[in-house]
Amino acid sequence: MLNFSGVVEIDELVLMGSTVEGYAEDIYEDLTRINNEETNALRVALKDVEQHIQRATIVAHDLRNSISPILTCLELLLKTLDTVEPQQRRFISIIERASRIALALVSDLLDVALLDAGRLELKTKSIDLAALIRRNVEANQLLGYVKNIRLEVKIAPGLQEVNADPMRVEQVLTNFISNAVKYSEPGTCVTVRAFESNGEALVEVRDQGRGIPAEEIGRLFHFFQKTRVQPTGGEQSTGLGLAIARQIVEAHGGKVGVESEVGRGSIFHFRLPFHAPMRLPRQF
């Protein structure tokens, strides 16, 4: 014979059965106690994680504010000190390059902290995507010039405006362009295209680089993941940029993707809906 015990939890009836009288009540009490203990432990753990994220955000923000003026001063020195000795100019250039890398890394880490905390701020407005792309490519021409890589733009006529955060969209586009240049050989071309596709704005960055092996494409767009493909000019890579770009695009209600073939280059692309509500990025 079975002995049953039950209790109403919110709108549900929980029944337990046992062949031993009174045993079902004991089991239920034990399970309830364990559940409460685990819930409390989870609350403590989540609070601890949140505190760590807050501290990381503050540190990254302060580091960025410290490095930015150093980089600005170095850039001014390189522009104005025409009479400086070649050896001194070389040292200043090395410091400037190291500062630029450090600033990019700290900025990425700050974005990661904000994403983990679900605090990525989007300042959205209606933007002329075509004009934004042209300005961004123009600003990034120097990246290609240094490696003798040509940047070109192809935008379909009549491309609609999108509701998005212009600074964040530029961040995504700059990441895609810099990656394309980073993995391309001198003398090649990087093409940025934008057109309407299935009711969305589709932006593509096509390179003529080395391409990515099919089995490694799945690593892209995830934090701290890299492929075996090496930059053609010895550039640094943190494994953060593409993951941040994905979260930014998804926060706009869009999607990122890549098509690649070894020896023939890659096409990194992102989609933005013309009119769509913003949503929080996914947590990792």
Side-chain angles (χ1 to χ4, degrees), residues 2-257:
L2 286 175
N3 296 285
F4 288 94
S5 178
V7 67
V8 175
E9 289 284 353
I10 307 177
D11 294 328
E12 296 181 347
L13 175 63
V14 180
L15 289 176
M16 299 191 65
S18 172
T19 57
V20 180
E21 187 175 357
Y23 190 56
E25 291 92 335
D26 294 340
I27 293 176
Y28 178 77
E29 290 176 0
D30 287 342
L31 290 175
T32 301
R33 175 181 53 78
I34 293 171
N35 180 69
N36 291 337
E37 290 174 354
E38 291 182 347
T39 300
N40 290 333
L42 180 59
R43 287 198 188 100
V44 172
L46 288 174
K47 185 177 181 180
D48 186 54
V49 169
E50 184 177 358
Q51 290 175 344
H52 281 298
I53 291 173
Q54 288 177 344
R55 286 194 288 268
T57 302
I58 293 170
V59 170
H61 188 271
D62 289 346
L63 281 173
R64 186 174 66 176
N65 288 344
S66 299
I67 296 172
S68 292
I70 296 173
L71 182 58
T72 300
C73 291
L74 289 168
E75 290 172 343
L76 289 173
L77 280 173
L78 289 172
K79 290 179 180 178
T80 58
L81 294 182
D82 296 330
T83 58
V84 72
E85 295 180 5
Q87 182 77 343
Q88 292 174 326
R89 176 172 287 276
R90 188 171 71 86
F91 288 152
I92 294 174
S93 297
I94 291 172
I95 298 171
E96 187 268 343
R97 182 172 180 272
S99 299
R100 189 177 299 280
I101 293 171
L103 181 60
L105 176 58
V106 170
S107 296
D108 283 347
L109 290 174
L110 179 57
D111 280 338
V112 170
L114 292 173
L115 288 165
D116 283 343
R119 297 173 187 165
L120 180 69
E121 183 179 2
L122 295 178
K123 299 178 180 179
T124 61
K125 63 180 182 179
S126 183
I127 59 174
D128 184 341
L129 185 59
L132 181 148
I133 292 172
R134 290 191 179 96
R135 288 195 305 269
N136 185 272
V137 172
E138 180 65 27
N140 283 301
Q141 286 290 345
L142 183 60
L143 291 175
Y145 176 79
V146 171
K147 293 184 70 173
N148 189 30
I149 294 172
R150 182 164 53 92
L151 302 184
E152 65 177 20
V153 181
K154 294 182 179 180
I155 298 177
L159 186 65
Q160 297 181 49
E161 293 188 345
V162 296
N163 185 40
D165 183 328
M167 186 188 75
R168 292 297 184 180
V169 173
E170 286 216 54
Q171 183 179 352
V172 173
L173 188 55
T174 295
N175 180 271
F176 282 13
I177 291 174
S178 62
N179 268 359
V181 171
K182 187 184 298 182
Y183 293 95
S184 293
E185 299 288 350
T188 58
C189 178
V190 171
T191 304
V192 180
R193 299 176 63 223
F195 51 95
E196 182 175 344
S197 173
N198 296 324
E200 297 177 311
L202 176 59
V203 181
E204 296 182 343
V205 178
R206 180 191 299 261
D207 65 54
Q208 298 171 330
R210 298 175 175 178
I212 306 165
E215 66 273 15
E216 297 189 24
I217 288 180
R219 298 182 187 176
L220 300 172
F221 300 112
H222 294 278
F223 287 119
F224 301 106
Q225 295 297 309
K226 301 179 183 180
T227 68
R228 290 174 295 172
V229 183
Q230 297 298 311
T232 57
E235 297 94 335
Q236 299 293 317
S237 177
T238 63
L240 293 172
L242 289 177
I244 293 171
R246 177 171 74 93
Q247 294 241 20
I248 290 173
V249 171
E250 290 181 351
H252 283 84
K255 293 182 179 180
V256 297

